[in-house]
């Protein structure tokens, strides 16, 4: 089992064991009988092939790992062949559907097209409607009848978009023109660092990536040897002589740096050999190792001097580039200020505008004062009317209090009348018993007669009672209540 097939079968969320026979079968017959199942299988194969390529498991016939492209044909079928389920019989239909949806594009057509892959021509629309009508009338077969053994080179658009996004994020740290200029080999290593992979990108993948970033994303320009990342504010259409010089200088510094590391490693190895030769008392070997070390040290000194000079030159170029950028920004700023000052006008115009503003503000204040005075005249209040309304409110309150006092007195008299009736009824019963037993005096009768006589002898309202008797005082209160009601 190949690494590619092992990876595909490990995707348990899609390649469940119960579903694997359907995915390896010729499910093209389900396109009209079971379209949901057909497109589900197509999407699974398309997604898993793209993910396998991103993981570095799609290897070409030359042994090169391809992350952005896919080569179909017998070699791919051999990698997908299983001892239990055989080869996927509908893989060619999957490829055709992906091409129809522009998820996969022909490698050569992708590179040759002058237009962006995201642009749509109006001439394509009529042909799409015609193809749709022919398909529904059964006069056109959507799935290609090409032999699955035919080799086709395709560009994986989803992978290309993801890789481009990660690389652009990685390159955002470079600001100056020197930092944003590379040779293609240097750019390949930068892309590999952004993708966190060992080694460089495959040549085909690098070519596809540069074409996509320059034509479809318009974030760089390249001539095939030099790559320059451009900003959104820059208008650069081609590589300049300065870009080529910067790229060559950076490449030379990088090569000398690698040579310096190699010389340092050679010196360390010669030193170690000479020490071992001395320990074994092998004079010729020790002398040869020392001569090699001295020669490497001499070359290293020369390379270090050259590297230092080249780095100084590159630093000067970067400083000059920054100065050019600063001067350009200053010129743009001066133009902006010039335009703004032209809109403002001369100092005399500004003074006239301020004087006019002061006059208008004074007019607003005058108008506000007039409106305030008119409002004060309108809002004059007659104090006599307020006093009369206040007296009316007081009379109304006194009348309400008198009515409340009358109602309270009526209630008290009603309560007293009820008590008198109860006492009168209670006096009748003892009188009956007194007639039967004349020798026993009736206490209830005598008390009732006393209370009645007290009521009759109650002095009129305003006079004080001559006796402190509580009974007479109570009846005096009743007489007062009666007098209030009569009044």
């Amino acid at each position: 089992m190949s690494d590619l097939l092992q990876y595909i079968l490990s995707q348990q969320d899609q390649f469940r064991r119960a579903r694997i026979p359907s995915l390896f079968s010729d499910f093209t017959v389900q396109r009209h009988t079971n379209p949901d199942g057909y497109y589900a299988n197509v999407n699974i194969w398309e997604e898993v092939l793209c993910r396998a390529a991103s993981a570095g498991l799609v290897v070409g016939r030359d042994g090169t790992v391809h992350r952005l492209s896919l080569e179909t044909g017998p070699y791919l079928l051999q990698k997908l062949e299983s001892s239990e389920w055989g080869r996927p019989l509908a893989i060619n239909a999957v490829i055709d559907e992906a091409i129809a949806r522009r998820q996969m594009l022909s490698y050569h057509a992708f590179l040759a097209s002058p237009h962006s892959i995201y642009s749509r021509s109006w001439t394509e629309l009529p042909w799409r409607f015609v193809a749709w009508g022919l398909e529904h009338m059964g006069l056109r077969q959507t799935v290609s009848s090409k032999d699955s053994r035919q080799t086709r080179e395709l560009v994986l658009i989803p992978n290309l978009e993801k890789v481009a996004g990660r690389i652009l994020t990685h390159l955002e740290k470079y600001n100056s023109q020197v930092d944003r200029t590379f040779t293609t080999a240097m750019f390949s290593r930068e892309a590999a660092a952004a993708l966190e992979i060992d080694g460089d990108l495959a040549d085909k993948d690098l070519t596809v990536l540069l074409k996509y970033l320059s034509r479809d994303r318009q974030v760089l320009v390249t001539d095939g040897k030099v790559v320059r990342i451009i900003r959104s504010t820059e208008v650069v259409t081609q590589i300049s002589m300065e870009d080529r010089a910067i790229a060559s200088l950076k490449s030379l510094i990088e090569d000398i740096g690698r040579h310096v590391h190699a010389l340092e490693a050679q010196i360390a190895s010669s030193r170690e050999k000479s020490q071992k030769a001395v320990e074994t008392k092998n004079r010729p070997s020790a002398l040869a190792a020392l001569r090699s070390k001295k020669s490497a040290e001499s070359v290293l000194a020369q390379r270090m001097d050259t590297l230092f000079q080249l780095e100084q030159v590159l630093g000067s170029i970067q400083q000059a580039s920054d100065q050019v950028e600063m001067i350009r920004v200053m010129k743009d700023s001066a133009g902006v200020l010039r335009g703004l000052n032209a809109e403002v006008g001369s100092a005399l115009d500004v003074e006239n505008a301020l004087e006019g503003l002061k006059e208008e503000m004074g007019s607003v204040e005058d108008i506000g004062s007039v409106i305030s005075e008119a409002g004060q005249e309108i809002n004059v209040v007659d104090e006599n009317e307020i006093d009369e309304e206040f007296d009316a409110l007081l009379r109304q309150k006194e009348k309400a209090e008198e009515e409340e006092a009358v109602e309270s007195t009526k209630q008290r008299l009603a309560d007293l009348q009820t008590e008198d009736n109860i006492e009168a009824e209670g006096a009748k019963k003892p009188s009956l018993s007194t007639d039967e037993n004349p020798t026993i005096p009736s206490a209830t009768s005598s008390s009732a007669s006393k209370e009645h006589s007290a009521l009759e002898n109650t002095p009129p309202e305003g006079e004080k009672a001559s006796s402190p008797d509580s009974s007479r005082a109570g009846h005096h209160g009743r007489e007062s209540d009666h007098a209030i009601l009569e009044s």
Side-chain angles (χ1 to χ4, degrees):
M1 181 183 297
S2 65
D3 295 338
L4 175 60
L5 181 60
Q6 186 175 1
Y7 172 83
I8 290 175
L9 296 180
S10 66
Q11 307 301 307
Q12 299 294 333
D13 55 336
Q14 296 173 326
F15 276 76
R16 298 186 300 273
R17 187 167 184 83
R19 191 180 180 86
I20 291 177
S22 174
L23 291 169
F24 275 78
S25 66
D26 186 9
F27 53 81
T28 56
V29 297
Q30 299 179 0
R31 191 178 189 282
H32 297 289
T33 59
N34 183 16
D36 293 338
Y38 170 79
Y39 285 109
N41 290 344
V42 167
N43 292 335
I44 289 175
W45 272 113
E46 180 184 327
E47 182 179 350
V48 77
L49 287 175
C50 291
R51 287 162 60 180
S54 297
L57 297 173
V58 174
V59 182
R61 286 176 295 178
D62 57 354
T64 306
V65 176
H66 297 284
R67 301 176 184 273
L68 305 179
S69 58
L70 177 67
E71 183 180 328
T72 67
Y75 186 74
L76 178 62
L77 289 175
Q78 181 183 354
K79 293 295 182 180
L80 296 177
E81 185 175 2
S82 170
S83 59
E84 184 175 357
W85 299 286
R87 295 183 175 184
L89 301 178
I91 193 66
N92 203 49
V94 172
I95 300 301
D96 290 335
E97 291 289 350
I99 293 174
R101 293 186 295 179
R102 303 180 70 85
Q103 296 300 301
M104 297 182 186
L105 298 177
S106 170
Y107 176 81
H108 299 288
F110 177 86
L111 296 179
S113 176
H115 305 291
S116 171
I117 62 174
Y118 301 114
S119 64
R120 294 292 184 271
S121 174
W122 285 102
T123 58
E124 296 180 6
L125 296 178
W127 288 109
R128 291 184 181 179
F129 286 114
V130 171
W132 178 81
L134 293 176
E135 178 186 345
H136 280 266
M137 289 188 295
L139 301 178
R140 178 178 180 269
Q141 186 177 3
T142 304
V143 180
S144 174
S145 59
K146 291 182 180 180
D147 189 353
S148 60
R149 293 173 296 179
Q150 182 181 359
T151 300
R152 286 186 287 179
E153 295 181 355
L154 303 172
V155 178
L156 305 177
I157 301 302
N159 291 18
L160 183 58
E161 293 173 341
K162 292 178 182 178
V163 168
R166 293 181 62 180
I167 292 175
L168 292 178
T169 302
H170 175 75
L171 295 176
E172 287 178 353
K173 61 183 179 181
Y174 298 130
N175 297 319
S176 66
Q177 179 183 356
V178 174
D179 293 335
R180 292 182 283 109
T181 305
F182 312 91
T183 62
T184 52
M186 295 171 63
F187 183 82
S188 178
R189 287 189 288 273
E190 289 287 340
L195 300 177
E196 299 179 354
I197 59 177
D198 296 331
D200 299 338
L201 290 177
D203 293 339
K204 286 185 177 180
D205 290 350
L206 180 61
T207 303
V208 168
L209 180 61
L210 291 175
K211 190 67 173 180
Y212 176 75
L213 292 176
S214 61
R215 181 192 61 195
D216 303 305
R217 298 292 295 270
Q218 298 181 355
V219 294
L220 62 80
V221 291
T222 180
D223 60 357
K225 296 180 180 179
V226 179
V227 178
R228 178 182 173 183
I229 309 298
I230 59 177
R231 298 175 178 174
S232 58
T233 57
E234 293 180 323
V235 181
V236 181
T237 58
Q238 60 183 1
I239 297 296
S240 63
M241 293 299 296
E242 292 81 2
D243 297 330
R244 293 187 180 92
I246 292 172
S248 299
L249 186 58
K250 290 178 66 176
S251 178
L252 183 58
I253 290 174
E254 194 175 76
D255 293 339
I256 294 177
R258 286 195 295 267
H259 195 193
V260 166
H261 289 308
L263 289 173
E264 290 175 347
Q266 182 181 349
I267 292 171
S269 177
S270 298
R271 184 183 297 110
E272 185 179 355
K273 288 180 180 179
S274 64
Q275 290 175 355
K276 289 182 179 180
V278 170
E279 291 175 359
T280 58
K281 297 181 180 181
N282 189 346
R283 179 182 174 84
S285 298
L287 293 176
L290 290 175
R291 290 191 188 96
S292 176
K293 183 173 76 70
K294 288 294 183 180
S295 176
E297 288 176 348
S298 176
V299 176
L300 177 61
Q302 296 176 1
R303 292 290 183 271
M304 291 295 292
D305 291 339
T306 303
L307 183 61
F308 177 72
Q309 293 176 3
L310 293 176
E311 289 179 345
Q312 278 189 328
V313 173
L314 185 63
S316 300
I317 293 175
Q318 184 166 1
Q319 183 178 1
S321 175
D322 294 340
Q323 290 174 352
V324 169
E325 182 70 16
M326 181 179 64
I327 295 299
R328 186 186 64 81
V329 172
M330 293 175 66
K331 288 182 178 179
D332 294 341
S333 302
V336 172
L337 290 175
R338 190 179 301 109
L340 294 176
N341 290 332
E343 293 181 6
V344 172
S346 62
L348 181 60
D349 294 335
V350 175
E351 292 179 358
N352 293 335
L354 292 176
E355 290 295 333
L357 179 62
K358 291 180 180 179
E359 291 178 2
E360 296 300 327
M361 292 177 64
S363 300
V364 171
E365 293 179 357
D366 295 340
I367 294 172
S369 300
V370 172
I371 293 175
S372 300
E373 294 175 358
Q376 292 176 358
E377 294 178 358
I378 293 173
N379 295 329
V380 174
V381 179
D382 190 353
E383 296 293 335
N384 295 328
E385 293 181 358
I386 293 176
D387 293 338
E388 292 177 359
E389 186 173 356
F390 179 72
D391 294 338
L393 291 175
L394 287 178
R395 289 193 298 271
Q396 184 178 359
K397 182 179 179 182
E398 293 175 355
K399 183 177 180 181
E401 290 177 352
E402 291 177 358
E403 291 178 354
E404 184 179 356
V406 170
E407 292 295 331
S408 175
T409 304
K410 287 182 179 180
Q411 185 65 33
R412 288 173 58 192
L413 290 177
D415 294 341
L416 291 175
Q417 186 65 33
T418 303
E419 292 178 1
D420 292 342
N421 294 336
I422 292 172
E423 291 176 357
E425 290 178 359
K428 291 180 181 179
K429 294 179 180 180
S431 64
L432 293 176
S433 59
T434 305
D435 292 340
E436 294 176 358
N437 300 299
T439 58
I440 302 174
S442 176
T444 304
S445 176
S446 61
S447 63
S449 60
K450 290 178 180 180
E451 185 175 357
H452 183 69
S453 61
L455 286 172
E456 292 178 351
N457 297 324
T458 300
E461 182 181 2
E463 296 181 3
K464 295 183 178 179
S466 59
S467 174
D469 185 65
S470 61
S471 175
R472 294 184 61 187
H475 286 287
H476 173 71
R478 294 175 186 177
E479 288 292 337
S480 299
D481 292 339
H482 281 291
I484 291 172
L485 286 174
E486 290 175 359
S487 64

